[in-house]
Amino acid sequence: MAQCVQSVQEFIQDSFVPMVAVLCSEDAEKVTRKNNLNFSELLRPFCRLTSEGHMRDPNNQVQVVKNLRISVNNVVTRPSVPTSGVHGPAQRRLLSEVVSACQPAEGGVANVITAGDYDLNISDCSVKASVPWYSDWRDTLKELSTSKHYTATTPWFEAYRESFLQSMPASDHEFLNHYLACLLVVSSSEAVPVEQFLKLSQEQHRIQHNGEYTNPKWFIPNTLKYYVLLHDMSQGDEQRADSVYEDMKQRYGSQGCYLLKINSHTAAAGTDEQIPDPWSQYLNKSSRQTPTPVVVNNTAVENNVGGAPEMDGHDSAENDGVSVNSLDNTHPLQLETAIDMPGSLDSLRADAVETKTTTVYTGVAAVTSHGACLTLNDHNRLRLFIQEFTFRGLLPHIEKNIRQLNDQLVSRKGLSRSLFSVTKKLFGGGKVPEKSIAELKNTSGLLYHPEAPELQIRKMADLCFLVQHYELAYSCYHTAKKDFLSDQAMLYAAGALEMAAVSAFLQGGAPRPYPAHYMDTAIQTYRDVCKNKVLAERCALFSAEVLKSQSKYSDAATLLIKMTSEDSDLCSALLLEQAAHCFINMRNPMVRKFAFHMILAGHRFSKAGQKRHALRCYCQAMQVYKGKGWSLAEDHINFTIGRQSFTLRQPENAVSAFRHILTNDSQQTSTQQGAFLREYLYVYRNVPGVREVALPQLPLPCINSSATRVYFGHERRLAEGEKQAATHVSLDQEFDRDLAAVWQDLEEQVVAAANRGLVPSTFYPTQCCLNSQTDNLHFPLAVVEEPIIVEVAFRNPLKVPLVLSDLSLLWKFTLKDFSRPQPQDIMVEDAVTISNEKEAIAPRARLKLLPRQTGQLNILGLVYNLASTPSTGDSTINSPSATAGTSVRGRQDLEIQGPRLNQTKEEKTSVSHGPDRRLDPTITPPMPLLEVFFLQFPTALLCGEIRKAYVEFCNVSHVPLCGLRVASTHPDFFTFGSSSLATPLTPLSPTSFENCSAYKTLATPPGATPGSVTAVTLVSAADFGSGGGGVFGTGGKRVAEIPLGEGTLTPGESTQLPLWLRGPDQEGVHEINFLFYYESAEKGGKISHRVLRHTVFICASRSLSIRATACRSNTLPEEEREEGRNGSMLVFVDVENINTSEAGVREFHIAQVSSSSKQWRLHKCINPAEDKDCKLTTRERGKLCFRATRCKPHEATSKSLEKYTFADLSLGNEQIISSTTPCADFFFRRCQPSESWRPLIAVETQGRHSRSQGAGPGGGAEDITGVVRKCNEVDLDIIVLWKAFVVEDNKQVILEGQLHVALQTIGKEACSLTQKEEAQEMVLLKFKPELPPPTTRPSMEQLSHLIKTNLHYPESYSHPFVQKSLCMVPVTLMLSNCSLAQVDAIIDLRHKTTSPESLEVHGSFTWLGQTQYKLQLRAQEVMRLPLRAGFLHAGVYNLGTPRVFAKLADQGAMCETSQQTATPALIIINST
C-alpha cells in the first residue's frame, strides 16, 4: 500500500474516538455565529489533547492516555444512512466528490519508487514520465534528492478512508460511535440561564430515552451532562457571568460545569494582528461532503458520525427534504447522459459542467472568514476548555463506568454457565428471537436487550478501547466473542473478532502476535453471512494497514483484491490501486503485477467517473509496459490515455497518445487499427487550437527520411521514332556503388583530358541523383529553370489503407545573385508547390520544384492531407459514423541524419554524425543542357563485326555548349572516325546504309596475283587518336573529342555524326558505358562542366577464331638481299568458324588479311585458295601461310619510327584500305595485353645502336635480357577482315568485321580470343623484409636464337669407292648473328648421333680436319666456315651433327647454350 501521513496506530486511534453531543440554546448559537461557526465547529480544531491524561483501571493501576482526540457534534435526530449494509446514493456521491476533489499536486517534487530495475514515478508527474511523448522523464528523476527510495502517497485514498469511516452508521452491535456525553451550552445573556440549562437537559433526556428517535445512539443510559456557560466578551456583563457560574458550581459541581469566554476581539484593537484560521481545513472537508450549498445557521452541516448533513432538532423538514432530493436526483455518473452531445465530446462537456458545479460549492467556504471575533487568548480558552472537560468530566465518567461494568463481569465469572443463564432470565436479559431457528445465522436474526450481559461486556471493551487500555479491551472482546459465537449472533461475533484483532495489535510491547485470522473471519462473516459490505470494507481497511505495517505486503494485496466487487467501482478502484502499491513495496518488487493492477484500478476509476485518477493510473502503468515489446498492452493503455486526455481537455496529450498507437508496429487486427485511426482523426479535428500556430506533425504514414532521393534535372525523354535517347540517370534506376565508382573514374579521366591531363583540386564528381549511399557532405548544385524532383519513401505500419491527398513540399529559399554582390537574404517561409499526381497508397511519391531564381534552397518537409478509408463496420465508441473518411491536414519534417564520423580519435570514441545536405541544393545560373539520340544502334553483334550508326547531339538550353568529349569503359567498341585524310568513302545518309560497306574499298587491279600485296601505307597513330593530342587516360584511348562544326553547339541546335561500332571479341552480354562531357561557352560559373550518361547492352555472338604463329625463315640475309627482301619469316594463320548458326550466319568469307607493324609487313600469300576466296561454313577451319618481310630501309627513317606500316593482302575481288577509318581506328583502339611491355620495346629500340656499337663488360642483366629478347621479337599485328552472309526476313544481308592477332614472339602462338587466366593458388604470406628483386637472366630458349646456322653442300655426290675408299665432300657452315651485340661462338664437330634409328637410316660419317672452332661474330655479322666431311660407304647421311655454342661476348659461360638446326641436312653419296 501507499504510505499514509499517519502511522497505523494513529489511524486506528483516530478512527475510534469518544463521541460528545452538543445542545445549544438559541442565544448561545448567536454568539458563535459571529464567527461564522456553530459551537461544534468552534471546538473542532481544538479537540486533540496536547497533554497526557490519567485514569485508573479496575485493578487500580494508572493508565496513561496519550494524544487523545474527541469528536464533538450537534445532535441530529434524522437517520443518516440506511441500515442495509451498503452505501446509498447520497453517500456514494459524497465519497466520489471527496476523491475527485483530492488530486495530485501539480509541479510538486515527484515521488519515485525504485522497484527492481524500474524507477517508478508515483505522482502527477507520472503523466509526463510515462507517456510516450515525454522523453525527458529520466531528467525528472535526476532532479530528485540523493535518496534511492521514495515513498508514494495517495492522499485521495486517505481522504476517502476518512470520509468513509466518518460516514459509518451507528450500529447496535457496537458502541464505539455512540455518544458518551452531551455538552449543554447556554449564553450568559439569558435572563435565567439555569432554566435554560434545565430545558436543554430535559431535551437531551427526551431524545435519549423517548422511543421516538432511533438516532443519535447513546453509549450508556446515564449520559454525562456537562454544563457550559458561554460568555460574549464583546457585549455581555462579565460580572454577571461570573456570578451565574458560581451558582452553577453550587448546583452542578465544579467538575460538571464551565464558563467559556469568547469573542474578545474588538474593532478598536486594529487589524495588524494576524489571527490564524484553523477551521478552514475542517470546514473544507465538510463543504466537499455537502452536495448542495446551504446557508450556515443553527442547522449547520456537521462532520459527524453519520457523515451526512446532520440537523439538530430545530431544523425544518423542508431543508431535510431538499437535501435528500438533491442527492437522490443527481449522481456523477448521470452527467454523461444528462447532456445530449454527439461523439466523444459528451463526457468532456459533461465533465466541464461537473467541474463548474464543484467550484461553486467550494467557493462558498473559501470566501468566508472564520473566527473573526476571536483572539489568540480565545483560542487558548477553547483549548483549555476541551482539556478541562476531558480530564475532569469525560475521563472520570468513563473510569466510573468501566468499574461498574467490570464488577458485573467479575460477578459473572463466579457463576456457572447454567446459573448465569438463569440470572439472565430473572433480570430480563434473555435474547428475543424474531425469526425461525434456521435463520439464526442471519445478521438480523438475533437481537440482544440493551442490558444483556453480552452487550455489557462489549460496552466495557469499547470503553477500554476508547481510553487506550488495549489489554483489558482485548480480554473483554475475546470473552464477548465466545458468547456471541455460542449464541450464533454472527454480526456481534464479527464485531468482537474485528476489535479483538485491532486491540491485540495496538497493545504495547506486542505481548501476543496479530491474529490475522480474526480479521479474515470477521470480513467473511460481514460479507457472506451478514451481507454488510460496509463493515467488511472497514474491517479490510484496518487489516490491510496492520499487515502493511508488518511488511506483509503480499497478504495485504490479496486481502484488498478480495474485497473488490461490482457493487462499487470507486471502492474497487481505490483498493486495486493500494494493492498495486503493495506489490512494489515487497522485498522483491513485483513490478508487472503493480502495472497490471494499476490498469485494473484505472478501468474502475473510469467507470466511477474519476477520469483524472483513471488517467493517472494508466500513465503510471505505462512506465512498466513501455518499451518491453508488449505492443497490445501498450496500444490499450495509449488508447485509454488518449480518450481520457481528450475528455479532460488535454488535446496535446490525447493527440500524442493516439500518435504513439499509430506509429508503432502494431499487432492489432485491421479492424481495430481502423478504429484507432478514425479515433485519432476525430480527436485531431475536434481539438480546438491545434492548427492555430502552424501545421502539426502527423504520425502517418511513416516516412523513411534516409531513403529520400533527390533528382536534379529534367526527366529523360522517351525515344522518338527510330531515335533512342541516352539513358542518363533516372529515379527508376537502383543505385549501384560499384557502377557509381566506374562513372566517377570516367568523369575524372575526361576532366583530366579537358584540363591538360590534370584533375583540378576543386573537382567534385557530378551526382544527378542523391540518396543515402551517395556522398552528401557538399551542397548539391541545381540549375535555374531545371526541376528538382524529390522522391519520398512512405511506409504504412497499419493493416488498413491510408489516403493521402494534396501532397506538397515545404521549403525555405534564400535569394542570392551569384553574378552581383550579395543582397540581403530574403526568407520565404512555409511556401509550397504543386506536386505531381500520385496514388495515395503508393509506397513512394515524387514531388517537383522548379526554381526560378538563384539562391539557397532548403527543403524542410512534406504537407499533405491524411484520411482513412470509409469504415465498413461499426464506428468507434466516441466517434460517430459520420467521421469515417474525414481527413486532416498536417506535415512531416524530412530530417536526414548524416553518416557517422569515424576519422579522428574523438569521432571514433563518440557517436557524432556529419551533415547530409541532399535537401539543401544551391541554385546556380543557367547552364547548357545536352540531349543525345542514337539512330540505327544495334543490340546484337557478331564478335568483331563492324556496324555503322549515327548520333544526334541537341542543345535544348538557352546557353551554348562546347568542349564535347566522350569517355567509355569500352573504347574499343566505337569510334567517331579520324582526321580528314582517313574519311571513308561512304555516304552520310542513314537511309543509304544497307547497300554500302562500312569500309573504304577499292576494286582489285586487273592482273594482280591473288594473295599478293596490293597496298602498303604508312600511318601515324596520332591520326587516329592514339598516342597524340586529344586522347588521354589509361592506354591513351579512353577519352575522345567529338568533332563539332564550329566547336560549339548553339541553343536549340542539333548535329548528327556517324558512329562506327565493333562487336566485342568475347561472346556474351556486355554492358558498355558512355560518358558525354560538355562545358558552357560562358565561363566562370559555379558548375564547371556537365555530363550525360548512357548505358547500352550488346549481345555478342561467336564469329571466327584466329590463331597465328611466326616461324624464322632458314634463308640467310645474303640470300634475302639477293631476292630484294630485308629479312623474312613465315606466318601461319589458322581460321576457324566457331559460329553456332544461332544468328542465321550461313558462311564466312575471308576477304582480306592485312598487317600492321613498325618493322614487319606481310609480303605474299604462299597458298592462296583457288577461287580467290576462303569460305568457311560452320565448324570449318582454314590455314593460310604468308611470308613476312622487314620494312624497306628507305622507309625506316627517323620520322617514320612512330609510324605503322599497313600492308593489305586481298583474297577477293575488293581491296579494303585498312589504314583508314574504321579499320585503322579499331586497330589502334584494340585492347592489347602487351601494353605493359610495349614501352620497354620502345626504349630498347631507341638505344639499339648505342649498344651495338660497343656494349662493354659493364652492361647489366637488364641489357642482356633486352638484347636476347630482341632476337626473338616479332611485333607484327595481323588484321583478318571477313564477310558473313546472313539471312534475315528472307533476305540476304552481308555483315563485315575484323579480328586482330598480335604476334609478339617467334614460335609462340597468338590467338584472337584472349585466354582465361587460371586462378592463382593461394600463397602463404611471410612477413619478412622485402629483398631486392632477383637479377633477370635470359632464358635458355631465348639464348638458343642468338645465332642462325645453315649448311651449304651438294644434294648428291658421286665417288668411286673402289678406287678410293675415302670420300671427302666440302661443306660450308653459314653463321649469322641475329642479335645486336657481339657473340662468341664455339663449333664442336665431335658430336655424333647415338640413336639407333638415326644410325639405321642415315649411317655414320666423320668430319675431317679441325674438330672445334672458336669464333667471334659482330652484331648481325654473317660468317662462312669451310668444313670437310669424310664418307666410307655410299648412302644417305645427315650432316646436321655440328654442335654450336654461343654466348654474349661480355658474359660468362653460364649463358652458353647449344644451338641446333631445326631440320636435318641430308646428302646422298653415290658409288661410281
Side-chain angles (χ1 to χ4, degrees):
M1 293 177 67
Q3 181 68 27
C4 300
V5 176
Q6 294 178 311
S7 65
V8 184
Q9 290 78 6
E10 292 173 346
F11 161 63
I12 297 178
Q13 287 176 8
D14 288 350
S15 300
F16 302 105
V17 296
M19 304 290 293
V20 179
V22 175
L23 281 176
C24 291
S25 66
E26 292 184 5
D27 291 343
E29 195 69 32
K30 291 178 181 179
V31 174
T32 59
R33 279 303 167 194
K34 291 182 179 181
N35 298 289
N36 293 321
L37 299 166
N38 60 29
F39 188 76
S40 61
E41 292 174 345
L42 184 68
L43 297 179
R44 191 164 298 154
F46 311 101
C47 287
R48 184 178 295 278
L49 300 181
T50 58
S51 58
E52 296 180 354
H54 300 84
M55 59 173 290
R56 292 186 179 274
D57 60 6
N59 295 326
N60 208 25
Q61 298 292 326
V62 177
Q63 178 70 24
V64 180
V65 182
K66 299 179 181 180
N67 199 27
L68 180 65
R69 187 178 71 90
I70 63 175
S71 178
V72 181
N73 299 286
N74 286 349
V75 174
V76 178
T77 58
R78 178 180 55 84
S80 56
V81 293
T83 58
S84 60
V86 294
H87 290 304
Q91 214 168 7
R92 289 187 178 184
R93 179 177 177 83
L94 179 129
L95 294 174
S96 178
E97 289 182 353
V98 167
V99 175
S100 179
C102 189
Q103 297 289 340
E106 295 272 351
V109 178
N111 289 328
V112 177
I113 292 181
T114 301
D117 297 333
Y118 298 85
D119 291 329
L120 302 179
N121 190 344
I122 312 297
S123 67
D124 187 58
C125 296
S126 64
V127 177
K128 295 182 178 180
S130 60
V131 290
W133 61 87
Y134 185 75
S135 58
D136 299 331
W137 67 282
R138 292 193 179 273
D139 298 337
T140 305
L141 303 180
K142 293 179 182 177
E143 295 175 1
L144 305 176
S145 61
T146 57
S147 177
K148 293 183 179 179
H149 296 278
Y150 287 79
T151 306
T153 59
T154 51
W156 48 90
F157 172 71
E158 297 179 39
Y160 168 85
R161 189 176 61 186
E162 179 182 356
S163 179
F164 170 79
L165 294 175
Q166 290 178 357
S167 64
M168 288 288 295
S171 177
D172 293 331
H173 79 285
E174 62 182 9
F175 306 94
L176 291 168
N177 51 1
H178 291 194
Y179 286 107
L180 277 167
C182 182
L183 297 177
L184 305 178
V185 185
V186 175
S187 174
S188 62
S189 61
E190 293 279 354
V192 184
V194 177
E195 293 182 0
Q196 194 65 32
F197 277 124
L198 181 60
K199 291 181 181 180
L200 293 179
S201 178
Q202 294 174 352
E203 178 68 17
Q204 188 276 332
H205 187 273
R206 184 180 64 83
I207 293 174
Q208 181 177 359
H209 298 286
N210 196 350
E212 298 180 11
Y213 306 105
T214 58
N215 280 317
K217 296 184 181 297
W218 304 90
F219 204 103
I220 52 179
N222 187 17
T223 302
L224 172 65
K225 297 181 179 65
Y226 197 80
Y227 301 91
V228 180
L229 182 64
L230 189 62
H231 177 64
D232 190 347
M233 296 288 291
S234 61
Q235 293 181 356
D237 186 358
E238 187 173 358
Q239 293 181 357
R240 182 177 181 275
D242 291 338
S243 63
V244 173
Y245 178 60
E246 290 298 330
D247 185 30
M248 291 172 58
K249 287 195 289 184
Q250 294 295 330
R251 184 181 296 271
Y252 306 117
S254 61
Q255 296 184 354
C257 60
Y258 192 84
L259 174 61
L260 180 59
K261 299 177 181 180
I262 60 173
N263 296 343
S264 301
H265 184 75
T266 59
T271 58
D272 295 337
E273 185 180 7
Q274 296 294 330
I275 305 300
D277 182 9
W279 296 273
S280 300
Q281 55 179 328
Y282 297 95
L283 296 183
N284 286 339
K285 295 179 182 179
S286 178
S287 64
R288 284 197 300 265
Q289 296 168 6
T290 306
T292 55
V294 297
V295 178
V296 180
N297 51 24
N298 194 30
T299 62
V301 178
E302 290 300 320
N303 191 3
N304 53 24
V305 176
E310 203 176 85
M311 311 296 177
D312 61 14
H314 301 282
D315 188 19
S316 63
E318 181 180 356
N319 286 341
D320 192 8
V322 171
S323 176
V324 173
N325 290 336
S326 64
L327 292 172
D328 292 342
N329 294 333
T330 58
H331 190 273
L333 298 182
Q334 295 175 357
L335 287 173
E336 295 186 4
T337 58
I339 303 173
D340 186 15
M341 293 292 173
S344 41
L345 292 179
D346 291 348
S347 56
L348 172 63
R349 297 180 180 177
D351 185 70
V353 175
E354 179 185 356
T355 306
K356 203 173 297 183
T357 306
T358 306
T359 305
V360 173
Y361 296 151
T362 57
V364 174
V367 298
T368 305
S369 61
H370 307 99
C373 297
L374 301 178
T375 63
L376 292 178
N377 290 331
D378 294 333
H379 292 190
N380 293 331
R381 291 190 187 102
L382 292 171
R383 190 175 293 107
L384 182 61
F385 162 68
I386 293 296
Q387 185 171 338
E388 287 293 324
F389 164 71
T390 305
F391 292 161
R392 301 183 64 180
L394 184 61
L395 289 182
H397 177 70
I398 295 175
E399 180 181 349
K400 182 181 68 172
N401 283 275
I402 291 177
R403 287 182 180 275
Q404 293 177 356
L405 293 171
N406 182 69
D407 292 341
Q408 297 178 11
L409 179 62
V410 171
S411 62
R412 176 180 177 272
K413 287 183 178 179
L415 300 175
S416 65
R417 178 66 180 170
S418 58
L419 286 176
F420 190 68
S421 63
V422 174
T423 305
K424 287 190 291 183
K425 292 179 181 179
L426 291 174
F427 288 96
K431 42 189 182 295
V432 183
E434 295 181 351
K435 295 189 178 182
S436 63
I437 301 301
E439 297 178 342
L440 281 180
K441 291 190 176 183
N442 189 285
T443 183
S444 302
L446 183 63
L447 292 178
Y448 286 99
H449 190 273
E451 299 300 327
E454 291 87 350
L455 293 186
Q456 302 306 314
I457 298 176
R458 173 63 195 249
K459 282 185 179 181
M460 180 179 173
D462 289 345
L463 285 175
C464 294
F465 188 88
L466 291 175
V467 293
Q468 304 175 9
H469 197 337
Y470 300 117
E471 184 177 358
L472 183 56
Y474 174 78
S475 178
C476 295
Y477 284 132
H478 194 270
T479 302
K481 179 254 305 183
K482 294 181 180 179
D483 293 339
F484 292 141
L485 287 176
S486 65
D487 295 336
Q488 291 293 309
M490 303 309 297
L491 177 61
Y492 296 90
L497 285 170
E498 175 187 5
M499 297 311 299
V502 172
S503 300
F505 170 73
L506 292 177
Q507 290 183 31
R512 56 177 57 86
Y514 169 67
H517 59 285
Y518 279 12
M519 278 293 193
D520 296 338
T521 304
I523 293 172
Q524 185 178 3
T525 304
Y526 279 142
R527 186 180 58 189
D528 299 337
V529 178
C530 305
K531 306 299 181 183
N532 194 320
K533 296 184 179 179
V534 175
L535 292 174
E537 181 181 345
R538 183 189 71 175
C539 191
L541 292 176
F542 289 145
S543 181
E545 286 292 338
V546 173
L547 292 173
K548 184 197 71 172
S549 67
Q550 297 178 345
S551 298
K552 297 179 180 179
Y553 293 105
S554 179
D555 296 339
T558 304
L559 176 61
L560 293 170
I561 295 172
K562 190 184 299 183
M563 287 305 300
T564 59
S565 66
E566 295 297 326
D567 297 332
S568 175
D569 291 316
L570 179 62
C571 174
S572 299
L574 291 167
L575 295 181
L576 286 169
E577 182 182 13
Q578 295 305 308
H581 283 279
C582 289
F583 288 121
I584 58 173
N585 280 284
M586 294 181 180
R587 178 176 299 178
N588 296 321
M590 305 175 73
V591 185
R592 286 178 290 185
K593 277 199 173 185
F594 158 79
F596 177 71
H597 286 84
M598 288 301 288
I599 293 294
L600 297 178
H603 174 66
R604 301 303 292 270
F605 271 129
S606 179
K607 291 178 64 178
Q610 301 287 339
K611 301 186 185 303
R612 292 186 182 275
H613 287 292
L615 176 61
R616 175 184 50 77
C617 290
Y618 276 100
C619 290
Q620 290 179 6
M622 188 53 154
Q623 298 176 87
V624 178
Y625 288 106
K626 181 174 61 177
K628 299 298 184 299
W630 300 331
S631 60
L632 297 179
E634 282 191 70
D635 291 346
H636 169 74
I637 297 172
N638 280 309
F639 182 73
T640 308
I641 289 175
R643 279 198 166 184
Q644 298 291 355
S645 300
F646 177 76
T647 307
L648 294 173
R649 296 182 181 272
Q650 299 176 8
E652 295 81 6
N653 293 353
V655 172
S656 300
F658 281 115
R659 180 187 299 121
H660 188 72
I661 298 177
L662 300 176
T663 52
N664 280 352
D665 291 331
S666 175
Q667 298 181 6
Q668 302 283 356
T669 62
S670 58
T671 304
Q672 189 65 43
Q673 289 182 356
F676 286 161
L677 178 60
R678 291 190 297 274
E679 191 85 16
Y680 169 76
L681 296 178
Y682 179 81
V683 171
Y684 186 91
R685 286 176 59 87
N686 289 278
V687 171
V690 173
R691 300 177 296 275
E692 291 178 357
V693 180
L695 288 173
Q697 297 284 340
L698 291 178
L700 292 175
C702 297
I703 294 181
N704 187 3
S705 296
S706 62
T708 302
R709 298 196 296 171
V710 184
Y711 179 78
F712 301 96
H714 294 279
E715 294 183 276
R716 187 175 69 91
R717 289 169 57 181
L718 300 176
E720 299 178 357
E722 296 181 356
K723 295 182 179 180
Q724 178 185 351
T727 56
H728 195 45
V729 182
S730 70
L731 288 171
D732 298 328
Q733 301 172 358
E734 294 295 333
F735 180 79
D736 187 345
R737 190 179 297 275
D738 296 334
L739 187 59
V742 172
W743 288 116
Q744 180 176 344
D745 180 60
L746 287 177
E747 187 173 357
E748 288 180 358
Q749 294 178 26
V750 72
V751 168
N755 292 274
R756 300 180 180 179
L758 298 176
V759 178
S761 59
T762 58
F763 167 75
Y764 186 72
T766 302
Q767 297 183 133
C768 298
C769 184
L770 301 180
N771 53 46
S772 58
Q773 301 183 58
T774 56
D775 183 9
N776 304 324
L777 296 178
H778 299 80
F779 289 98
L781 300 178
V783 181
V784 170
E785 300 296 337
E786 292 188 13
I788 301 172
I789 302 176
V790 180
E791 183 185 78
V792 183
F794 295 103
R795 182 179 66 88
N796 184 4
L798 305 182
K799 301 174 185 176
V800 295
L802 301 175
V803 180
L804 304 183
S805 59
D806 295 337
L807 282 82
S808 58
L809 290 174
L810 187 66
W811 48 267
K812 179 179 69 175
F813 182 75
T814 306
L815 182 63
K816 292 182 181 179
D817 190 349
F818 294 105
S819 61
R820 288 179 295 212
Q822 298 294 325
Q824 185 178 2
D825 292 348
I826 302 175
M827 308 302 292
V828 183
E829 296 283 353
D830 294 344
V832 298
T833 181
I834 299 175
S835 65
N836 55 333
E837 294 297 330
K838 285 288 180 182
E839 295 182 5
I841 60 174
R844 297 177 183 269
R846 294 176 183 174
L847 300 102
K848 184 184 298 182
L849 283 173
L850 186 62
R852 301 290 187 182
Q853 291 180 303
T854 59
Q856 183 65 45
L857 178 65
N858 303 102
I859 301 174
L860 305 177
L862 198 64
V863 181
Y864 57 94
N865 291 336
L866 172 64
S868 64
T869 56
S871 176
T872 56
D874 297 335
S875 61
T876 57
I877 296 174
N878 286 340
S879 300
S881 58
T883 61
T886 58
S887 64
V888 296
R889 188 159 186 82
R891 61 181 285 182
Q892 282 201 57
D893 294 335
L894 293 174
E895 298 176 353
I896 303 177
Q897 186 181 60
R900 179 176 177 180
L901 302 178
N902 199 27
Q903 299 297 326
T904 63
K905 182 179 180 181
E906 291 76 10
E907 294 172 351
K908 292 179 179 179
T909 55
S910 62
V911 179
S912 58
H913 296 268
D916 191 304
R917 298 192 171 98
R918 75 181 89 163
L919 295 177
D920 303 322
T922 301
I923 311 301
T924 60
M927 284 288 293
L929 185 62
L930 177 68
E931 288 190 353
V932 179
F933 297 95
F934 297 87
L935 289 81
Q936 301 177 357
F937 204 93
T939 57
L941 293 172
L942 294 175
C943 293
E945 178 186 350
I946 304 296
R947 187 78 64 88
K948 187 177 182 181
Y950 291 85
V951 185
E952 183 177 343
F953 299 97
C954 303
N955 184 2
V956 296
S957 66
H958 300 286
V959 180
L961 65 84
C962 63
L964 186 58
R965 293 176 172 82
V966 62
S968 177
T969 54
H970 295 69
D972 56 334
F973 173 68
F974 71 99
T975 178
F976 281 95
S978 56
S979 58
S980 59
L981 62 91
T983 302
L985 299 178
T986 55
L988 293 179
S989 174
T991 57
S992 60
F993 167 76
E994 296 180 2
N995 300 322
C996 181
S997 172
Y999 292 107
K1000 180 180 179 180
T1001 58
L1002 297 175
T1004 304
T1009 304
S1012 61
V1013 176
T1014 56
V1016 177
T1017 310
L1018 282 177
V1019 174
S1020 174
D1023 296 336
F1024 294 91
S1026 177
V1031 177
F1032 299 89
T1034 305
K1037 302 180 295 299
R1038 289 188 178 271
V1039 182
E1041 293 186 4
I1042 299 176
L1044 296 176
E1046 299 179 357
T1048 61
L1049 202 60
T1050 58
E1053 182 184 358
S1054 63
T1055 183
Q1056 194 176 91
L1057 298 176
L1059 177 70
W1060 288 270
L1061 307 175
R1062 179 179 178 270
D1065 290 325
Q1066 295 290 334
E1067 67 170 332
V1069 178
H1070 298 262
E1071 180 180 355
I1072 302 174
N1073 299 319
F1074 295 89
L1075 185 73
F1076 295 95
Y1077 167 97
Y1078 58 97
E1079 302 173 357
S1080 174
E1082 303 173 359
K1083 305 298 182 181
K1086 291 184 69 67
I1087 301 179
S1088 61
H1089 67 277
R1090 304 190 81 175
V1091 296
L1092 178 67
R1093 301 175 181 177
H1094 180 58
T1095 302
V1096 296
F1097 293 90
I1098 298 296
C1099 180
S1101 303
R1102 293 181 179 181
S1103 56
L1104 298 177
S1105 174
I1106 311 296
R1107 296 178 181 271
T1109 307
C1111 297
R1112 193 184 299 277
S1113 173
N1114 286 332
T1115 58
L1116 294 175
E1118 290 183 353
E1119 299 175 2
E1120 292 173 352
R1121 279 193 288 268
E1122 292 175 0
E1123 297 178 6
R1125 299 192 304 270
N1126 186 18
S1128 65
M1129 65 178 176
L1130 298 179
V1131 177
F1132 298 93
V1133 178
D1134 289 343
V1135 183
E1136 181 182 2
N1137 180 1
I1138 59 176
N1139 185 266
T1140 57
S1141 300
E1142 294 177 357
V1145 180
R1146 294 171 54 190
E1147 59 183 7
F1148 284 89
H1149 290 213
I1150 307 301
Q1152 180 175 307
V1153 178
S1154 301
S1155 67
S1156 174
S1157 175
K1158 296 180 181 179
Q1159 303 174 16
W1160 296 87
R1161 66 180 179 86
L1162 294 181
H1163 180 66
K1164 63 179 295 186
C1165 182
I1166 299 176
N1167 59 339
E1170 297 179 357
D1171 55 355
K1172 299 184 180 181
D1173 200 355
C1174 181
K1175 298 180 181 179
L1176 297 174
T1177 58
T1178 303
R1179 290 300 178 183
E1180 280 191 347
R1181 176 183 294 183
K1183 192 175 185 69
L1184 300 176
C1185 182
F1186 300 92
R1187 183 185 299 278
T1189 62
R1190 288 187 180 272
C1191 297
K1192 295 181 180 180
H1194 63 85
E1195 296 173 354
T1197 60
S1198 61
K1199 187 178 294 187
S1200 64
L1201 287 177
E1202 296 183 357
K1203 289 191 175 183
Y1204 290 80
T1205 300
F1206 280 81
D1208 299 333
L1209 276 73
S1210 177
L1211 302 179
N1213 298 325
E1214 289 183 337
Q1215 175 195 352
I1216 300 174
I1217 303 178
S1218 61
S1219 59
T1220 60
T1221 298
C1223 182
D1225 291 86
F1226 288 117
F1227 165 74
F1228 287 112
R1229 284 176 172 266
R1230 71 195 184 282
C1231 294
Q1232 298 177 355
S1234 59
E1235 289 288 342
S1236 58
W1237 55 265
R1238 281 188 183 275
L1240 291 176
I1241 298 174
V1243 171
E1244 291 172 6
T1245 304
Q1246 295 174 1
R1248 177 184 304 170
H1249 299 288
S1250 61
R1251 288 195 298 268
S1252 62
Q1253 292 175 0
E1262 290 81 2
D1263 297 336
I1264 299 172
T1265 304
V1267 169
V1268 174
R1269 187 178 61 220
K1270 190 62 180 176
C1271 297
N1272 305 322
E1273 192 176 284
V1274 176
D1275 191 15
L1276 175 64
D1277 291 282
I1278 306 298
I1279 305 174
V1280 178
L1281 295 100
W1282 50 265
K1283 293 183 179 181
F1285 296 89
V1286 182
V1287 177
E1288 291 182 358
D1289 300 330
N1290 297 324
K1291 183 172 63 175
Q1292 180 171 298
V1293 179
I1294 300 177
L1295 304 181
E1296 300 174 303
Q1298 64 186 60
L1299 296 173
H1300 309 124
V1301 180
L1303 290 172
Q1304 303 166 6
T1305 308
I1306 290 178
K1308 185 175 182 180
E1309 186 182 61
C1311 184
S1312 62
L1313 299 177
T1314 56
Q1315 302 295 328
K1316 294 183 180 179
E1317 297 182 359
E1318 296 181 0
Q1320 297 182 355
E1321 295 183 1
M1322 186 177 296
V1323 181
L1324 181 64
L1325 295 177
K1326 296 181 180 181
F1327 296 94
K1328 293 182 178 180
E1330 295 185 359
L1331 300 175
T1335 304
T1336 57
R1337 297 175 181 176
S1339 64
M1340 304 297 284
E1341 182 182 359
Q1342 292 174 335
L1343 290 174
S1344 64
H1345 296 286
L1346 285 176
I1347 295 179
K1348 183 168 66 173
T1349 60
N1350 195 4
L1351 289 174
H1352 281 221
Y1353 57 91
E1355 293 183 1
S1356 61
Y1357 191 85
S1358 299
H1359 178 75
F1361 284 98
V1362 178
Q1363 300 175 2
K1364 193 175 182 180
S1365 62
L1366 180 61
C1367 174
M1368 294 185 296
V1369 178
V1371 178
T1372 303
L1373 177 62
M1374 305 290 293
L1375 301 174
S1376 175
N1377 185 0
C1378 298
S1379 67
L1380 301 177
Q1382 190 172 354
V1383 176
D1384 294 336
I1386 297 176
I1387 294 91
D1388 188 2
L1389 302 179
R1390 293 172 295 182
H1391 173 67
K1392 294 184 179 180
T1393 302
T1394 57
S1395 60
E1397 293 83 359
S1398 300
L1399 293 176
E1400 293 177 2
V1401 175
H1402 308 299
S1404 178
F1405 72 98
T1406 293
W1407 293 102
L1408 304 177
Q1410 188 175 345
T1411 58
Q1412 189 175 21
Y1413 298 87
K1414 292 186 177 180
L1415 307 174
Q1416 192 173 60
L1417 283 79
R1418 294 188 300 275
Q1420 294 185 344
E1421 180 184 1
V1422 178
M1423 181 178 293
R1424 297 173 180 269
L1425 181 64
L1427 300 175
R1428 287 185 301 170
F1431 301 92
L1432 299 177
H1433 306 283
V1436 178
Y1437 296 90
N1438 180 14
L1439 298 180
T1441 59
R1443 298 181 62 190
V1444 180
F1445 299 88
K1447 69 180 182 67
L1448 296 176
D1450 54 354
Q1451 296 297 319
M1454 63 177 180
C1455 297
E1456 194 169 16
T1457 183
S1458 174
Q1459 301 287 329
Q1460 295 291 342
T1461 56
T1463 57
L1466 299 180
I1467 185 172
I1468 301 174
I1469 303 298
N1470 297 318
S1471 178
T1472 58

